[in-house]
Amino acid sequence: MSTVPSITLDNGVEIPQLGLGVWQVEDEIVTDVVTSAFETGYRHIDTAAIYGNERGVGRAIAASGLARDDLFITTKVWNNDQGYDSTLKAFDTSLSKLGLEYVDLYLIHWQSLQRDLYIETWKAFEQLYADKRVRAIGVSNFHEPALRRIFEESTIRPTVNQIELHPALPQDDLRAFNAENDIITEAWSPLASGELLDNAALKTIGAKYAKSPAQVMIRWHLQLGNVVIPKSKTPSRIQENYEVFDFQLDNDDMATIADLETGTRTGGDPDIFG
């Protein structure tokens, strides 16, 4: 049985607060990686069309023997497929590769301001939601102005905004805006792509609890109320990242981690990329 707590989205759907991200996990190995995660206790898997591994994720789901209702599967529409009709077609492709009848969460991968198609794309998302082919719809890598435009020009608000977020880039203002608008913040690159694993302050905090810096960072996300999707291809690391529910960071720990903010990104700037 999974021990991961869930967060209730604005539409009542529950999302496990800890999941496995599979960015840069090749399709030929992703089935084994996701299977290892299922065996550990993960029930939330985050993929995307551009990752090129939806088919392998689908194979792991099919072979798992787990009830579909016990799983939470997220995928995303890529920038080149934005637009109303192209989004619907891209969704059909993703669903076929995953071998599913629905996905739990569908995200616009980037706001892609240069294309300026995210409103058309969102309207396709609303149609997919109305057709009950997705249980929840959201966005990824969106900043406040694009979110406000969705609010103004659409019927349904995003339930999730998945953004780069880690101790060096805590995104306090955007997290606060999300919270004010009943949008759950989900963190990608939650471990700063490994760049903070040797951080002395995180090592010191970890030593207090016999935990690794990675476990400390994941715990920090959980206590902030973020959904967090660390990625690993290694079964031992997948297990380690799951073992974060038996300790609690204190206020001093949280303050120390807050001091690690540098504003440094490991990925693209949403206002430029896409």
Side-chain angles (χ1 to χ4, degrees):
M1 293 291 292
S2 176
T3 60
V4 177
S6 292
I7 292 176
T8 302
L9 302 179
D10 189 38
N11 68 344
V13 169
E14 292 190 355
I15 181 172
Q17 199 177 358
L18 175 65
L20 177 76
V22 294
W23 178 59
Q24 292 186 328
V25 181
E26 300 83 0
D27 192 65
E28 56 267 25
I29 67 168
V30 75
T31 302
D32 289 341
V33 170
V34 173
T35 297
S36 177
F38 286 156
E39 291 171 350
T40 298
Y42 292 78
R43 296 295 180 263
H44 175 185
I45 307 297
D46 180 278
T47 185
I50 195 63
Y51 298 171
N53 57 21
E54 290 172 311
R55 205 177 298 279
V57 170
R59 289 193 296 267
I61 293 169
S64 70
L66 296 169
R68 177 65 183 90
D69 288 351
D70 291 337
L71 301 178
F72 193 98
I73 308 300
T74 299
T75 194
K76 313 176 191 78
V77 63
W78 184 239
N79 304 332
N80 292 346
D81 290 320
Q82 284 205 35
Y84 188 86
D85 291 335
S86 51
T87 291
L88 296 179
K89 182 178 179 181
F91 178 79
D92 286 341
T93 299
S94 287
L95 203 64
S96 175
K97 288 181 177 179
L98 288 164
L100 300 176
E101 294 183 356
Y102 65 91
V103 296
D104 298 279
L105 178 63
Y106 199 37
L107 303 177
I108 303 178
H109 207 147
W110 292 83
Q111 59 185 11
S112 194
L113 298 181
Q114 302 91 320
R115 287 180 170 81
D116 193 23
L117 291 171
Y118 62 87
I119 295 297
E120 291 181 38
T121 303
W122 188 253
K123 291 185 184 302
F125 273 44
E126 290 182 318
Q127 186 61 54
L128 291 166
Y129 182 72
D131 292 342
K132 298 185 178 179
R133 304 186 73 198
V134 296
R135 297 179 66 225
I137 52 178
V139 297
S140 181
N141 302 300
F142 271 57
H143 285 165
E144 182 177 334
L147 288 168
R148 286 193 181 279
R149 188 175 168 207
I150 289 179
F151 300 165
E152 293 167 0
E153 300 186 31
S154 306
T155 303
I156 303 172
R157 291 191 175 196
T159 58
V160 169
N161 187 14
Q162 185 184 117
I163 56 176
E164 180 179 352
L165 203 162
H166 43 73
L169 188 72
Q171 301 259 35
D172 292 337
D173 290 344
L174 186 51
R175 284 193 302 110
F177 179 81
N178 289 341
E180 288 166 7
N181 290 281
D182 298 318
I183 298 171
I184 297 300
T185 298
E186 185 170 9
W188 66 261
S189 192
L191 308 180
S193 297
E195 294 180 9
L196 294 175
L197 295 179
D198 289 325
N199 180 272
L202 293 174
K203 286 183 174 180
T204 298
I205 293 171
K208 286 172 55 177
Y209 306 103
K211 296 293 183 180
S212 69
Q215 290 170 314
V216 169
M217 284 188 277
I218 294 169
R219 186 70 218 172
W220 171 79
H221 281 284
L222 296 172
Q223 290 182 213
L224 287 180
N226 301 332
V227 174
V228 56
I229 47 169
K231 181 215 79 175
S232 180
K233 303 178 184 179
T234 309
S236 60
R237 290 283 176 85
I238 291 170
Q239 178 74 42
E240 176 186 314
N241 291 343
Y242 191 81
E243 294 175 349
V244 291
F245 301 105
D246 57 351
F247 75 108
Q248 184 95 4
L249 299 174
D250 61 31
N251 290 337
D252 288 341
D253 300 329
M254 297 295 282
T256 297
I257 296 171
D259 287 338
L260 300 180
E261 179 177 4
T262 62
T264 303
R265 294 183 180 275
T266 67
D269 182 341
D271 290 336
I272 300 170
F273 184 82

XYZ file of all heavy atoms in Angstrom, residues 155-224:
548
model
N -13.242 29.194 -19.056
C -14.268 28.837 -18.072
C -13.676 28.152 -16.853
O -14.094 28.395 -15.724
C -15.314 27.909 -18.718
O -15.867 28.555 -19.866
C -16.420 27.560 -17.750
N -12.686 27.290 -17.088
C -12.096 26.478 -16.024
C -10.696 26.994 -15.716
O -9.915 27.276 -16.633
C -12.030 24.997 -16.443
C -13.419 24.468 -16.807
C -11.417 24.147 -15.331
C -13.397 23.072 -17.405
N -10.380 27.084 -14.446
C -9.027 27.476 -14.047
C -8.133 26.242 -13.946
O -8.605 25.152 -13.606
C -9.042 28.205 -12.710
C -9.683 29.581 -12.768
C -9.439 30.362 -11.497
N -9.952 31.716 -11.621
C -9.624 32.726 -10.803
N -8.802 32.497 -9.789
N -10.114 33.937 -10.994
N -6.838 26.402 -14.208
C -5.918 25.278 -14.012
C -5.942 24.790 -12.568
O -6.043 25.596 -11.630
C -4.553 25.865 -14.373
C -4.853 27.052 -15.244
C -6.153 27.594 -14.726
N -5.850 23.477 -12.402
C -5.785 22.912 -11.052
C -4.354 22.826 -10.539
O -4.125 22.789 -9.332
C -6.384 21.498 -11.021
O -5.672 20.675 -11.956
C -7.859 21.515 -11.384
N -3.388 22.779 -11.470
C -1.977 22.576 -11.132
C -1.131 23.502 -12.004
O -1.446 23.727 -13.172
C -1.556 21.108 -11.384
C -0.037 20.938 -11.297
C -2.248 20.167 -10.406
N -0.055 24.029 -11.431
C 0.999 24.692 -12.202
C 2.309 24.027 -11.832
O 2.789 24.169 -10.707
C 1.039 26.193 -11.899
C 2.011 26.961 -12.793
O 2.474 26.439 -13.813
N 2.296 28.191 -12.431
N 2.858 23.267 -12.772
C 4.113 22.547 -12.531
C 5.267 23.430 -12.989
O 5.341 23.802 -14.159
C 4.115 21.223 -13.291
C 5.337 20.372 -12.993
C 5.375 19.100 -13.823
O 6.279 18.907 -14.628
N 4.395 18.219 -13.643
N 6.157 23.766 -12.066
C 7.228 24.724 -12.344
C 8.558 24.217 -11.791
O 8.585 23.377 -10.893
C 6.914 26.098 -11.722
C 6.659 25.982 -10.210
C 5.711 26.739 -12.427
C 6.427 27.310 -9.488
N 9.650 24.734 -12.341
C 10.947 24.441 -11.738
C 10.974 25.041 -10.339
O 10.698 26.233 -10.158
C 12.093 25.009 -12.571
C 13.447 24.705 -11.946
C 14.643 25.220 -12.718
O 14.466 25.711 -13.860
O 15.763 25.132 -12.169
N 11.319 24.221 -9.362
C 11.251 24.684 -7.978
C 12.162 23.818 -7.121
O 12.054 22.595 -7.124
C 9.795 24.601 -7.478
C 9.384 25.492 -6.302
C 7.874 25.620 -6.237
C 9.902 24.941 -4.970
N 13.072 24.467 -6.415
C 14.025 23.793 -5.525
C 14.577 24.845 -4.576
O 14.247 26.038 -4.710
C 15.133 23.116 -6.339
C 15.675 23.947 -7.470
N 16.495 25.035 -7.259
C 15.473 23.873 -8.808
C 16.806 25.582 -8.422
N 16.188 24.907 -9.389
N 15.386 24.472 -3.589
C 15.838 25.467 -2.620
C 16.556 26.674 -3.221
O 16.463 27.772 -2.666
C 16.754 24.657 -1.702
C 16.136 23.293 -1.704
C 15.708 23.090 -3.137
N 17.233 26.508 -4.352
C 17.881 27.650 -4.991
C 16.890 28.528 -5.742
O 17.168 29.691 -6.028
C 18.980 27.178 -5.945
N 15.713 27.974 -6.068
C 14.675 28.694 -6.814
C 13.318 28.381 -6.186
O 12.512 27.634 -6.744
C 14.704 28.277 -8.290
C 13.812 29.069 -9.249
C 14.364 30.472 -9.487
C 13.664 28.319 -10.568
N 13.030 28.930 -5.008
C 11.824 28.558 -4.281
C 10.530 29.149 -4.842
O 9.441 28.703 -4.447
C 12.084 29.062 -2.861
C 13.053 30.189 -3.023
C 13.913 29.801 -4.195
N 10.628 30.136 -5.723
C 9.454 30.665 -6.425
C 8.353 31.116 -5.452
O 7.163 30.834 -5.644
C 8.883 29.588 -7.375
C 9.869 29.096 -8.424
C 9.651 29.715 -9.789
O 9.266 30.875 -9.885
N 9.876 28.941 -10.827
N 8.751 31.843 -4.422
C 7.791 32.226 -3.380
C 6.608 33.006 -3.941
O 5.452 32.754 -3.573
C 8.487 33.051 -2.298
C 9.491 32.237 -1.494
O 9.338 30.999 -1.458
O 10.418 32.832 -0.915
N 6.865 33.983 -4.798
C 5.779 34.822 -5.313
C 4.818 34.019 -6.184
O 3.588 34.167 -6.079
C 6.345 35.998 -6.107
C 7.045 37.020 -5.228
O 6.831 36.993 -3.992
O 7.805 37.843 -5.766
N 5.363 33.163 -7.051
C 4.497 32.379 -7.927
C 3.726 31.327 -7.133
O 2.536 31.091 -7.389
C 5.323 31.718 -9.040
C 4.546 30.977 -10.125
C 3.441 31.829 -10.719
C 5.511 30.495 -11.220
N 4.364 30.737 -6.134
C 3.646 29.778 -5.281
C 2.493 30.469 -4.551
O 1.401 29.908 -4.427
C 4.591 29.134 -4.267
C 5.508 28.080 -4.844
C 6.189 27.247 -3.757
N 6.959 28.053 -2.838
C 6.642 28.272 -1.573
N 5.541 27.740 -1.049
N 7.420 29.009 -0.805
N 2.742 31.690 -4.088
C 1.694 32.432 -3.391
C 0.540 32.764 -4.341
O -0.634 32.631 -3.972
C 2.267 33.707 -2.785
N 0.857 33.166 -5.559
C -0.190 33.456 -6.546
C -0.996 32.196 -6.848
O -2.225 32.231 -6.911
C 0.424 34.013 -7.829
C -0.590 34.307 -8.895
C -1.324 35.476 -8.869
C -0.825 33.399 -9.917
C -2.278 35.757 -9.847
C -1.776 33.654 -10.896
C -2.510 34.837 -10.858
N -0.293 31.079 -7.050
C -0.995 29.814 -7.278
C -1.963 29.522 -6.130
O -3.134 29.189 -6.355
C 0.009 28.667 -7.406
C 0.821 28.706 -8.690
O 0.441 29.352 -9.665
N 1.942 28.011 -8.691
N -1.464 29.645 -4.901
C -2.284 29.323 -3.735
C -3.501 30.240 -3.632
O -4.608 29.786 -3.312
C -1.444 29.414 -2.466
N -3.313 31.516 -3.932
C -4.424 32.470 -3.876
C -5.527 32.109 -4.872
O -6.690 32.497 -4.683
C -3.913 33.880 -4.174
C -3.075 34.481 -3.057
C -2.312 35.701 -3.518
O -2.535 36.153 -4.680
O -1.479 36.202 -2.743
N -5.158 31.384 -5.916
C -6.108 31.049 -6.971
C -6.436 29.556 -7.009
O -6.888 29.041 -8.030
C -5.563 31.529 -8.312
C -5.567 33.036 -8.425
O -6.593 33.642 -8.693
N -4.411 33.656 -8.183
N -6.209 28.884 -5.877
C -6.556 27.464 -5.718
C -5.864 26.580 -6.750
O -6.428 25.582 -7.209
C -8.077 27.269 -5.782
C -8.796 27.998 -4.660
O -8.303 27.947 -3.524
O -9.838 28.635 -4.923
N -4.642 26.949 -7.097
C -3.817 26.158 -8.010
C -2.716 25.494 -7.186
O -1.993 26.170 -6.450
C -3.188 27.046 -9.103
C -4.270 27.707 -9.966
C -2.231 26.236 -9.977
C -3.733 28.766 -10.922
N -2.608 24.186 -7.304
C -1.555 23.458 -6.592
C -0.232 23.646 -7.329
O -0.162 23.530 -8.562
C -1.902 21.964 -6.490
C -3.183 21.765 -5.657
C -0.743 21.167 -5.902
C -3.102 22.276 -4.240
N 0.825 23.931 -6.576
C 2.164 24.037 -7.147
C 2.826 22.664 -7.147
O 2.892 21.998 -6.108
C 3.026 25.027 -6.354
O 2.432 26.329 -6.417
C 4.441 25.087 -6.912
N 3.309 22.274 -8.316
C 4.039 21.014 -8.465
C 5.461 21.337 -8.908
O 5.664 22.164 -9.801
C 3.345 20.122 -9.496
C 3.972 18.752 -9.633
C 3.136 17.806 -10.484
O 2.150 18.265 -11.105
O 3.469 16.614 -10.525
N 6.432 20.698 -8.277
C 7.838 21.038 -8.498
C 8.519 20.042 -9.426
O 8.575 18.853 -9.134
C 8.580 21.071 -7.166
N 9.036 20.571 -10.564
C 9.959 19.751 -11.353
C 11.388 20.227 -11.077
O 11.590 21.321 -10.581
C 9.624 19.762 -12.847
C 9.765 21.040 -13.637
C 8.755 21.899 -13.969
C 10.945 21.555 -14.259
N 9.236 22.934 -14.738
C 10.582 22.747 -14.944
C 12.274 21.145 -14.323
C 11.491 23.531 -15.660
C 13.195 21.919 -15.029
C 12.801 23.088 -15.690
N 12.347 19.351 -11.364
C 13.737 19.573 -10.941
C 13.799 19.895 -9.455
O 14.476 20.840 -9.028
C 14.402 20.698 -11.753
O 15.798 20.726 -11.549
N 13.101 19.100 -8.618
C 12.992 19.437 -7.195
C 14.308 19.328 -6.447
O 14.436 19.888 -5.351
C 11.977 18.413 -6.674
C 12.113 17.246 -7.595
C 12.372 17.851 -8.945
N 15.284 18.636 -7.037
C 16.605 18.495 -6.413
C 17.641 19.346 -7.141
O 18.842 19.109 -7.019
C 17.029 17.024 -6.396
C 16.022 16.040 -5.789
C 16.564 14.617 -5.823
C 15.645 16.445 -4.373
N 17.164 20.327 -7.922
C 18.050 21.238 -8.669
C 18.988 20.459 -9.588
O 20.169 20.797 -9.728
C 18.827 22.146 -7.728
N 18.436 19.411 -10.216
C 19.222 18.569 -11.147
C 20.520 18.073 -10.511
O 21.552 17.945 -11.170
C 19.516 19.331 -12.439
O 18.320 19.632 -13.116
N 20.474 17.830 -9.206
C 21.627 17.271 -8.497
C 22.641 18.297 -8.044
O 23.621 17.944 -7.369
N 22.422 19.574 -8.372
C 23.436 20.586 -8.095
C 23.566 20.926 -6.612
O 24.549 21.553 -6.208
C 23.148 21.849 -8.912
C 23.305 21.631 -10.409
C 23.020 22.875 -11.231
O 22.858 23.966 -10.632
O 22.957 22.760 -12.469
N 22.574 20.526 -5.801
C 22.622 20.847 -4.374
C 22.915 19.620 -3.504
O 22.888 19.721 -2.282
C 21.296 21.476 -3.931
C 20.968 22.850 -4.520
C 19.568 23.295 -4.081
C 22.002 23.891 -4.090
N 23.199 18.496 -4.137
C 23.380 17.267 -3.355
C 24.630 17.295 -2.480
O 24.725 16.550 -1.501
C 23.420 16.053 -4.290
C 22.118 15.765 -5.040
C 22.284 14.547 -5.944
C 20.951 15.560 -4.067
N 25.589 18.162 -2.825
C 26.801 18.283 -2.006
C 26.783 19.531 -1.129
O 27.811 19.888 -0.535
C 28.043 18.315 -2.909
C 28.319 16.963 -3.556
O 28.069 15.933 -2.895
O 28.770 16.942 -4.720
N 25.642 20.180 -1.030
C 25.543 21.396 -0.239
C 25.767 21.111 1.243
O 25.135 20.223 1.819
C 24.166 22.032 -0.456
C 23.987 23.303 0.333
O 23.555 23.285 1.480
N 24.340 24.434 -0.274
N 26.649 21.873 1.848
C 27.038 21.611 3.235
C 25.874 21.786 4.201
O 25.715 21.000 5.155
C 28.189 22.532 3.631
N 25.065 22.804 3.990
C 23.935 23.040 4.907
C 22.943 21.891 4.841
O 22.421 21.450 5.883
C 23.255 24.358 4.553
N 22.666 21.393 3.637
C 21.732 20.273 3.497
C 22.322 19.005 4.093
O 21.592 18.192 4.677
C 21.383 20.063 2.020
C 20.578 21.195 1.369
C 20.417 20.939 -0.113
C 19.208 21.343 2.035
N 23.630 18.822 3.966
C 24.281 17.662 4.585
C 24.179 17.732 6.108
O 23.935 16.715 6.776
C 25.744 17.589 4.163
C 25.963 17.116 2.736
C 27.445 16.992 2.424
C 27.689 16.375 1.059
N 29.135 16.260 0.758
N 24.343 18.932 6.654
C 24.257 19.093 8.107
C 22.848 18.790 8.603
O 22.665 18.092 9.622
C 24.660 20.524 8.505
O 26.018 20.751 8.113
C 24.522 20.734 9.998
N 21.854 19.305 7.903
C 20.467 19.006 8.287
C 20.212 17.511 8.165
O 19.619 16.890 9.063
C 19.479 19.797 7.410
C 19.594 21.293 7.693
C 18.043 19.323 7.661
C 18.826 22.163 6.730
N 20.666 16.916 7.086
C 20.463 15.480 6.886
C 21.082 14.651 7.994
O 20.499 13.638 8.429
N 22.241 15.070 8.472
C 22.918 14.311 9.534
C 22.084 14.262 10.812
O 22.146 13.283 11.568
C 24.288 14.928 9.812
N 21.275 15.294 11.062
C 20.411 15.315 12.251
C 19.395 14.182 12.237
O 18.984 13.677 13.278
C 19.640 16.641 12.316
C 20.446 17.835 12.714
C 19.635 19.127 12.559
C 18.312 19.109 13.311
N 17.605 20.419 13.169
N 18.984 13.793 11.029
C 17.893 12.820 10.894
C 18.349 11.522 10.223
O 17.515 10.662 9.937
C 16.771 13.433 10.054
C 16.268 14.759 10.569
C 16.654 15.951 9.961
C 15.424 14.835 11.674
C 16.193 17.182 10.421
C 14.959 16.057 12.149
C 15.358 17.226 11.513
O 14.909 18.436 11.980
N 19.648 11.383 9.986
C 20.193 10.242 9.247
C 19.544 10.148 7.869
O 19.132 9.066 7.422
C 20.020 8.944 10.026
N 19.454 11.297 7.199
C 18.858 11.385 5.871
C 19.838 12.048 4.915
O 20.728 12.795 5.324
C 17.550 12.184 5.914
C 16.439 11.542 6.735
C 15.943 10.245 6.101
C 14.790 9.646 6.884
N 14.298 8.383 6.269
N 19.649 11.806 3.631
C 20.508 12.395 2.610
C 20.034 13.807 2.267
O 18.888 14.175 2.555
C 20.470 11.533 1.348
O 19.189 11.625 0.729
N 20.889 14.612 1.625
C 20.432 15.925 1.152
C 19.216 15.822 0.234
O 18.325 16.681 0.288
C 21.654 16.478 0.430
C 22.810 15.879 1.155
C 22.357 14.475 1.468
N 19.150 14.795 -0.603
C 17.987 14.625 -1.479
C 16.721 14.428 -0.657
O 15.679 15.027 -0.940
C 18.199 13.434 -2.415
N 16.799 13.601 0.369
C 15.635 13.367 1.223
C 15.234 14.638 1.964
O 14.040 14.913 2.136
C 15.926 12.234 2.205
C 16.010 10.867 1.534
C 16.542 9.800 2.463
O 17.545 10.010 3.156
N 15.878 8.654 2.489
N 16.210 15.415 2.380
C 15.916 16.687 3.058
C 15.168 17.623 2.106
O 14.168 18.258 2.491
C 17.218 17.348 3.564
C 16.959 18.788 4.019
C 17.817 16.529 4.702
N 15.629 17.714 0.856
C 14.965 18.599 -0.103
C 13.542 18.140 -0.416
O 12.623 18.957 -0.507
C 15.794 18.713 -1.382
C 17.008 19.602 -1.235
S 17.864 19.924 -2.814
C 18.884 18.446 -2.923
N 13.363 16.845 -0.567
C 12.009 16.338 -0.834
C 11.100 16.624 0.349
O 9.941 17.040 0.185
C 12.057 14.836 -1.174
C 12.789 14.620 -2.506
C 10.638 14.256 -1.245
C 13.123 13.173 -2.796
N 11.638 16.426 1.552
C 10.844 16.722 2.756
C 10.483 18.206 2.803
O 9.355 18.574 3.185
C 11.653 16.315 4.001
C 10.872 16.432 5.301
C 9.785 15.405 5.402
N 8.604 15.976 6.033
C 7.433 15.352 6.128
N 7.285 14.139 5.635
N 6.428 15.939 6.702
N 11.408 19.071 2.433
C 11.157 20.518 2.382
C 9.985 20.831 1.446
O 9.084 21.583 1.810
C 12.436 21.206 1.923
C 12.354 22.663 1.603
C 12.353 23.705 2.504
C 12.292 23.259 0.308
N 12.298 24.912 1.830
C 12.262 24.662 0.480
C 12.267 22.744 -0.988
C 12.202 25.557 -0.598
C 12.222 23.617 -2.060
C 12.171 25.012 -1.862
N 9.993 20.211 0.271
C 8.878 20.402 -0.663
C 7.555 19.978 -0.033
O 6.549 20.695 -0.124
C 9.103 19.569 -1.934
C 10.067 20.161 -2.907
N 9.749 21.215 -3.716
C 11.342 19.819 -3.216
C 10.783 21.514 -4.490
N 11.759 20.682 -4.194
N 7.550 18.808 0.567
C 6.317 18.289 1.153
C 5.777 19.227 2.222
O 4.571 19.491 2.292
C 6.550 16.899 1.733
C 6.937 15.796 0.736
C 7.323 14.531 1.483
C 5.792 15.515 -0.233
N 6.670 19.753 3.063
C 6.225 20.632 4.141
C 5.778 22.000 3.631
O 4.987 22.669 4.285
C 7.319 20.757 5.207
C 7.496 19.464 5.985
C 8.523 19.520 7.094
O 9.171 18.528 7.373
N 8.684 20.663 7.743
N 6.258 22.403 2.461
C 5.763 23.633 1.836
C 4.397 23.432 1.192
O 3.739 24.403 0.818
C 6.748 24.128 0.774
C 8.050 24.755 1.248
C 8.893 25.172 0.053
C 7.805 25.950 2.154
